[in-house]
Amino acid sequence: MRKAKILAAFLTAAILMSHAAFSPPVLAAPAPPQIAADSAFLAEVTTGTNLLTQGADAAAEPGALTKLMTLLLCAEYFEKGAIQITSRITAQDSAVSGMLTPSPVKITPGETLTFRDLLMCALLGGSDEACNILAARLSGSVPAFIELMNVRAEELLLSGTRFVNTHGQSAEGQTTTARDIFLIMREGINYPLFTEILGTIDHIVPNTSVSPARPLTNKNAIMLPNSELYDEFTVAGLTSGGSSAQYSSKDGLETIAVVFGAGDGGAAIGQAKATLAFGYEHYRWVTPLTEGMAITALPLAYGVGTDAVLAVPEREVRLLLSSDITDDMLERTLRVFSQETGEVLRAPIRRGDALGEISFSVNGRELARVRLISGETIGMERTKFFIDKLRSTLSRGIGLGIFLCFFGILTLYFSIVIRYNVKRRRKRRELEPIRRRLIEERRAMAAESLTAPFDYFTEDGPSAEDASAPPYEACAGDDSQERASQEEDEEDEEQAEEDEYGGDDEYEGGALDE
């Protein structure tokens, strides 16, 4: 549990530090008015920028503003799904007993109300026992819920706050500051249920088994249209005694005002309204850049279908300025990385690639700086790139020398091959008549050998078998001689071809030239 508390406190500190790191500075802040209260604090919600500080860290008794922390925890339980808005809760005797001050909306033990009705009774009706009933239902007991309130205070870095009860009745050791109440309100407005309850004007709690219907009306006069303290820009708030906390929004400027020790409720609301009015009158948001806004087109080499890339801001830039800073006083400085290095910006370019920076300042004081990135992805035209690369290489002395050397070797090789083929064809034409004559001679010799008579007489005369047959008929049935003759002709042709191609070898050895 202790480690979880430390981790939560660390994460909260990191978030607040990140807000502070990126919070736009406020220039030429006007002198704030003197608020008729012991302490007062006004800050912008999104960045936490202080707009008015008057005893913001002075210790004060929270009173009914304690219920803001109770409401915050209830909204967080609801957001997590631990309880439904229509969940029915029965009041326990331990939750409603021991109250020092009678409640305007009395809830008796055993009475059952919904989660929403109990929240309305606590915040609109001022019911202190409703806070205890909710605490016992959500944490199992009131003391366990109070411990959770203090744990959450540590997580929100409320350095001057300690809770002793859930409702704010006077108790020893219970303390807070105007700055800490601002932080509670700032966290609470992140939950729709928180602002819904504080922003409700009228609500009727249906009748129960022990009570008729209860009509409730918000007593925060700054939100009531018929009140002279009405402020149309106030969205939600809570006032009790001389303390008040109000959340307002005008023209995109969200602020929270907190006052302590202003006298009575009416005076507290009046001082809170004056604090809010100071913010409306003297501060405004300026948005010189939005995400994706076209800033400039930068020249691009080898882009497919384009010769430029669009530079856009990485994020939106919002500046919180005092009203005496006019738009023409805002100076813009553009920085392009490729221009600084003297390099040519080349494709391919991916969406989101860093191209430069843009900054804003007033009178030499920088207010914001943001990266410029590519707003699109552009491919490379490779053919043009390689042609330019080759041209660039040839323009250099060493590159031209290498190219000419390679071209000369290639030319020499092809000239040798062409000369060899020409001489080879000439040799074949010269040997063709010789080849044909040799083939004809061999064919004639083969024909003569076939027509010559066979010497079939033996030394002692013809054999008995051969004597009875004519000389030529003796071998008429045997065609082996004819096949042999054909084979000889084929061999002669092959030999002639070998002689023909053998001339190449002679040519190569130099015999042909002789």
Side-chain angles (χ1 to χ4, degrees), residues 163-491:
F163 295 109
V164 177
N165 57 45
T166 65
H167 39 70
Q169 288 192 10
S170 182
E172 184 179 354
Q174 185 153 269
T175 185
T176 190
T177 66
R179 191 188 303 273
D180 287 355
I181 294 297
F182 161 80
L183 293 174
I184 296 174
M185 283 283 287
R186 183 189 185 192
E187 182 68 17
I189 60 177
N190 293 319
Y191 299 94
L193 182 61
F194 186 93
T195 53
E196 177 191 342
I197 298 299
L198 292 179
T200 300
I201 303 301
D202 296 297
H203 180 76
I204 296 178
V205 178
N207 61 295
T208 65
S209 58
V210 298
S211 174
R214 300 179 175 96
L216 304 176
T217 299
N218 197 324
K219 298 177 178 60
N220 192 23
I222 197 172
M223 296 176 57
L224 304 179
N226 296 328
S227 171
E228 60 182 9
L229 296 174
Y230 175 66
D231 177 26
E232 60 179 319
F233 305 111
T234 299
V235 179
L238 182 64
T239 299
S240 175
S243 306
S244 181
Q246 309 294 338
Y247 163 59
S248 70
S249 177
K250 179 184 180 183
D251 299 332
L253 180 65
E254 298 179 68
T255 55
I256 293 175
V258 181
V259 297
F260 276 106
D264 58 17
I269 293 175
Q271 295 306 307
K273 182 178 179 180
T275 304
L276 292 172
F278 172 76
Y280 302 155
E281 182 179 355
H282 294 285
Y283 296 95
R284 64 190 178 98
W285 277 112
V286 175
T287 307
L289 292 182
T290 58
E291 186 176 356
M293 175 189 293
I295 300 301
T296 185
L298 302 177
L300 179 69
Y302 311 119
V304 176
T306 182
D307 58 358
V309 59
L310 198 62
V312 301
E314 187 177 33
R315 58 179 175 83
E316 181 184 73
V317 173
R318 299 180 71 208
L319 304 175
L320 184 60
L321 303 177
S322 58
S323 56
D324 56 347
I325 302 296
T326 59
D327 292 345
D328 57 356
M329 295 174 63
L330 197 61
E331 302 168 1
R332 189 176 82 165
T333 303
L334 183 64
R335 177 187 174 198
V336 179
F337 297 151
S338 60
Q339 293 177 358
E340 291 182 353
T341 60
E343 298 177 354
V344 178
L345 192 60
R346 296 178 178 177
I349 293 287
R350 294 178 300 175
R351 181 182 178 89
D353 284 351
L355 303 177
E357 290 181 342
I358 186 170
S359 61
F360 294 90
S361 60
V362 173
N363 297 329
R365 180 181 176 186
E366 186 175 293
L367 304 181
R369 178 186 297 267
V370 65
R371 287 200 314 168
L372 291 178
I373 61 174
S374 170
E376 55 190 332
T377 297
I378 302 175
M380 172 187 278
E381 193 173 323
R382 299 189 181 276
T383 302
K384 184 178 179 182
F385 171 77
F386 286 121
I387 291 174
D388 287 354
K389 199 72 174 176
L390 179 60
R391 185 181 295 116
S392 174
T393 301
L394 295 180
S395 65
R396 303 187 185 98
I398 185 170
L400 181 60
I402 293 173
F403 175 77
L404 292 176
C405 181
F406 174 76
F407 182 76
I409 293 172
L410 196 64
T411 302
L412 179 62
Y413 170 78
F414 280 113
S415 65
I416 292 173
V417 171
I418 291 172
R419 184 170 178 268
Y420 170 78
N421 288 332
V422 168
K423 289 189 175 184
R424 186 182 181 202
R425 285 195 295 270
R426 184 186 303 163
K427 177 66 175 177
R428 290 184 64 179
R429 286 195 298 270
E430 293 175 355
L431 293 177
E432 182 65 20
I434 300 174
R435 186 183 71 84
R436 291 183 179 277
R437 179 168 53 79
L438 289 174
I439 292 174
E440 289 174 358
E441 288 177 356
R442 285 185 173 87
R443 285 179 178 174
M445 292 173 63
E448 290 177 2
S449 66
L450 289 174
T451 57
F454 287 98
D455 185 8
Y456 59 89
F457 295 99
T458 65
E459 184 178 339
D460 299 329
S463 63
E465 296 177 356
D466 297 336
S468 60
Y472 297 107
E473 293 178 357
C475 59
D478 187 2
D479 61 352
S480 60
Q481 282 284 67
E482 183 177 355
R483 287 197 302 270
S485 177
Q486 292 176 354
E487 290 175 357
E488 288 180 1
D489 289 344
E490 292 174 358
E491 290 176 357

Side-chain angles (χ1 to χ4, degrees), residues 26-153:
V26 180
L27 295 180
Q34 182 64 37
I35 303 299
D38 294 340
S39 60
F41 186 70
L42 175 69
E44 197 277 325
V45 170
T46 307
T47 63
T49 304
N50 300 347
L51 306 181
L52 184 151
T53 301
Q54 178 182 308
D57 298 311
E61 188 174 344
L65 298 190
T66 301
K67 295 178 181 179
L68 293 174
M69 177 61 84
T70 300
L71 177 58
L72 171 61
L73 294 181
C74 289
E76 291 177 341
Y77 271 105
F78 173 73
E79 198 73 19
K80 296 174 185 176
I83 193 169
Q84 302 300 314
I85 198 68
T86 56
S87 296
R88 299 181 66 78
I89 302 173
T90 300
Q92 303 297 322
D93 183 69
S94 59
V96 299
S97 60
M99 295 294 171
L100 299 178
T101 305
S103 173
V105 179
K106 184 173 178 59
I107 301 175
T108 60
E111 189 173 3
T112 300
L113 294 90
T114 66
F115 179 59
R116 180 193 291 277
D117 289 337
L118 283 171
L119 289 174
M120 293 296 181
C121 287
L123 277 301
L124 269 68
S127 173
D128 295 338
E129 62 268 23
C131 295
N132 281 350
I133 296 169
L134 290 166
R137 167 63 176 80
L138 295 175
S139 295
S141 68
V142 174
F145 190 85
I146 295 171
E147 181 181 357
L148 184 60
M149 292 171 69
N150 288 308
V151 169
R152 196 70 179 96

